[in-house]
Amino acid sequence: MAEALDGGCACGALRFRMQSAPMFVHCCHCKDCQRQTGTAFVLNALIEADRVELLSGDPQPYAMPTDSGRPHRVFRCPACGTAVWSEYGGLSKLRFMRVGTLDEPTALPPDVHIYIRSKLPWVTLPDGVPAFEAYYSSRELWPAASLDRRKAVMR
Ligand SMILES: [Zn+2]
Ligand SMILES: [Zn+2]
């Protein structure tokens, strides 16, 4: 298990600690992520909620509209509004941590690029990292240990 990764919001009121490496890291180029972040893509590290320790602050959920109708909530620092993680499909046991809020975002490069059909044309993808027009099969891509971890979360 990798060492803990700390992160937080822009104003410093909200601090958290990922107690281990995530299961997988998404770089999502979908239009929703572009709009919600105001930039070209989002970086999400998928991890069990109980491996995220809240060190300070009080993250507040914001409901996002989705095409699928499945719930998506973004959690933000109430003081500065920085988005620190997302929760999809009402699955509160699984967190999508915003990698850019880590003190060391270089620690978690993307394991996969998804929804590249809406990737901005000037973003060049690296060689050797799988990329998909839309979503992908985690069963084919994730390490076995990560699939086991997710299975435990879904239980
Ligand atoms: Zn803040
Ligand atoms: Zn997306």
Side-chain angles (χ1 to χ4, degrees):
M1 198 176 280
E3 49 189 289
L5 294 166
D6 285 7
C9 68
C11 79
L14 198 163
R15 295 287 301 167
F16 63 80
R17 175 168 297 150
M18 291 170 62
Q19 292 166 341
S20 79
M23 298 178 234
F24 218 66
V25 180
H26 287 173
C27 182
C28 185
H29 301 261
C30 85
K31 286 182 174 295
D32 283 346
C33 289
Q34 289 171 347
R35 186 172 294 278
Q36 288 162 16
T37 60
T39 181
F41 51 75
V42 74
L43 288 170
N44 283 325
L46 282 65
I47 189 169
E48 299 90 334
D50 62 9
R51 293 193 189 193
V52 182
E53 192 183 334
L54 189 61
L55 304 175
S56 66
D58 184 21
Q60 293 299 306
Y62 288 76
M64 293 290 139
T66 58
D67 286 341
S68 64
R70 295 176 76 232
H72 171 207
R73 297 198 299 168
V74 175
F75 286 76
R76 296 179 177 275
C77 169
C80 71
T82 302
V84 287
W85 65 70
S86 281
E87 184 188 284
Y88 287 94
L91 274 175
S92 58
K93 288 195 277 186
L94 185 63
R95 259 175 216 171
F96 287 61
M97 307 299 295
R98 295 275 173 93
V99 173
T101 64
L102 294 173
D103 298 340
E104 306 279 358
T106 52
L108 298 180
D111 294 309
V112 65
H113 290 267
I114 56 177
Y115 290 100
I116 63 167
R117 64 187 179 199
S118 49
K119 177 181 78 59
L120 297 187
W122 44 262
V123 173
T124 307
L125 298 182
D127 288 334
V129 181
F132 297 89
E133 287 295 311
Y135 208 66
Y136 71 105
S137 165
S138 48
R139 228 168 271 166
E140 285 167 23
L141 224 56
W142 286 27
S146 293
L147 287 170
D148 287 347
R149 282 169 63 182
R150 191 178 59 176
K151 211 178 290 170
V153 167
M154 301 302 199
R155 201 165 282 149

